[in-house]
Amino acid sequence: MPTGRFAPSPSGRLHLGNLRTALVAWLAARIDDSPFYLRFEDLGARQLEHYESQLTDLTRFGLDFDGEPIRQLDRLDSYRDAVSDLQEHGLVYECFCSRSEIRRAASAPHDTFAGYSYPGTCRELTMAQRRSKIASGRSPALRIFANGTKIPFVDQVAGYQEFEVDDFVVQRNDGVPAYHLVVVVDDAAQGVEQVVRANDLLESTARHLFIYRTLGLEPPSHAHVPLVLSPSRERLAKRHGAVTLDDQEAMGRSPEQVLSYLGWTLGLCDAGDAVAARDLLTGFELSRTPTDPVVLPVEMV
C-alpha cells in the first residue's frame, strides 16, 4: 500500500497538466486505499499567493488528502539538519562559481571535466583559496560530492533509466537549502513510498536517489507522467489561454467535464462520460499510464 503525495509550487494557478499529474498520483495511492498527502513546495518560490486556489481546484476535482497540507517554509530546521549532517561527514564542498562561469566551463571540451554538468571547478580549492574568495565578497553554495556516479532505476511509467549525477547544489549561496535535497527530506519524513510527478523531473530522480543513498534512507518508487502540451506542442503557459479550471469554466466546461477529458486521456473513461474521481479507480493501473504527451485540442485553449 504505497503512500503517495502531490507537491505543487504555490506560485501560480494549477493548469491542466498539473491537474492530470495530481489525478494520476491520487489514483495511484487511493487504488490501494493508501495515505495521500498535499505538500506545497514553497521554498524559494517567487510568488506565494496560490495555496488556497490550488487546494480549491484539487477539491473541485474530487481529490482528497490525509492531514493538513504541509508547507516547506515551516520545515527549514529539518533541511538545515540534513545539510549539517552532510557537512559533518565531509560529503559537500563550498562552490563559488557563478552561473556564467559554469556555462563558460561547459562550453569547453568535455574531457576537461568528464562531461558532467558541473565541471568540479571548486572541488579541490585550498583553504587559502576559499578564504580569498570569501574576502572578495563571494558567498559559497554547497555542492555534494557525486563525481558523475551512474544511477540506474526503473520508472513505473518511463521504464529503465540511467543518468550520471554531477556535483549538484544542496544549499544555495544565500543559505537556502536546494530543491534536490529538500524534496528527499520531505518525502522521507512523510513516509512517501511512491512519487508520481511530471516527466520533466525524470532526470532529477537520479540526483534524488543519490541523496537517499548518501543519507542512508530508503527511496520510494517513481513514476513520471508525460506532460500536457499546447496545440503547438509547447509546455503549457498562461499565453496559451484556457489552461486552468477557471478558464475552462469561462468557456462553458465544468470541472466534471474537464475531469472526464483527463480521464479519457488516461484510457479510464470515454470522452464526455459523467464521472467522479473515484469512478476512475476502476481499471486504473499506474504501469499502464500512456507514455506519450497529451496535446490539447485547439478548442480547449
Side-chain angles (χ1 to χ4, degrees):
M1 297 176 64
T3 298
R5 53 77 158 175
F6 180 59
S9 169
S11 57
R13 295 298 297 263
L14 296 176
H15 58 58
L16 298 187
N18 304 138
L19 291 167
R20 185 174 187 264
T21 299
L23 175 62
V24 176
W26 183 87
L27 291 169
R30 295 311 197 202
I31 191 71
D32 292 318
D33 292 321
S34 296
F36 188 65
Y37 300 119
L38 177 63
R39 182 174 73 236
F40 289 112
E41 295 190 338
D42 52 5
L43 194 64
R46 295 181 180 178
Q47 293 179 313
L48 301 175
E49 57 188 66
H50 292 282
Y51 297 102
E52 293 302 323
S53 71
Q54 291 187 353
L55 181 57
T56 296
D57 284 348
L58 294 167
T59 302
R60 289 161 79 195
F61 244 27
L63 308 187
D64 61 339
F65 303 90
D66 293 282
E68 293 297 318
I70 288 176
R71 299 186 182 190
Q72 290 179 332
L73 286 173
D74 296 330
R75 291 180 38 76
L76 279 170
D77 287 345
S78 296
Y79 312 139
R80 287 171 177 152
D81 287 345
V83 170
S84 295
D85 187 44
L86 294 173
Q87 288 177 302
E88 289 172 8
H89 290 85
L91 299 173
V92 294
Y93 61 91
E94 293 179 326
C95 174
F96 298 86
C97 296
S98 66
R99 291 183 179 181
S100 61
E101 288 170 335
I102 294 172
R103 283 195 296 269
R104 285 197 297 272
S107 67
H110 283 313
D111 60 4
T112 62
F113 59 97
Y116 310 139
S117 298
Y118 178 69
T121 307
C122 293
R123 190 183 297 141
E124 304 296 335
L125 289 181
T126 66
M127 181 63 72
Q129 288 172 318
R130 291 199 296 272
R131 287 173 178 166
S132 175
K133 289 181 179 294
I134 291 173
S136 71
R138 289 204 176 192
S139 299
L142 292 179
R143 289 185 181 271
I144 195 166
F145 285 103
N147 301 312
T149 300
K150 291 184 177 180
I151 301 291
F153 62 95
V154 177
D155 187 87
Q156 290 180 285
V157 173
Y160 179 83
Q161 307 290 321
E162 183 177 291
F163 298 102
E164 289 184 344
V165 180
D166 66 339
D167 293 358
F168 57 94
V169 171
V170 294
Q171 181 174 283
R172 300 177 344 198
N173 63 4
D174 59 2
V176 176
Y179 167 76
H180 297 301
L181 174 70
V182 166
V183 69
V184 170
V185 173
D186 282 339
D187 283 337
Q190 290 189 282
V192 171
E193 299 166 303
Q194 178 175 259
V195 172
V196 179
R197 58 192 180 195
N199 69 358
D200 55 344
L201 288 169
L202 181 61
E203 189 169 349
S204 295
T205 301
R207 292 179 168 184
H208 302 165
L209 292 173
F210 184 83
I211 292 181
Y212 274 103
R213 178 192 298 180
T214 303
L215 294 177
L217 300 171
E218 184 68 25
S221 63
H222 287 83
H224 287 81
V225 180
L227 302 177
V228 175
L229 305 178
S230 73
S232 58
R233 304 187 71 89
E234 300 174 282
R235 291 173 63 103
L236 287 183
K238 289 182 179 179
R239 67 179 180 277
H240 295 123
V243 295
T244 70
L245 276 187
D246 282 354
D247 294 332
Q248 290 290 303
E249 282 199 293
M251 295 179 69
R253 296 186 188 89
S254 68
E256 292 76 16
Q257 289 174 309
V258 177
L259 176 66
S260 176
Y261 170 75
L262 295 181
W264 172 72
T265 69
L266 295 167
L268 299 175
C269 63
D270 290 329
D273 281 356
V275 295
R278 288 202 170 270
D279 297 330
L280 301 178
L281 289 168
T282 302
F284 174 79
E285 290 183 31
L286 182 59
S287 62
R288 296 178 62 183
T289 301
T291 56
D292 291 328
V294 174
V295 180
L296 291 177
V298 174
E299 61 267 22
M300 288 194 72
V301 297

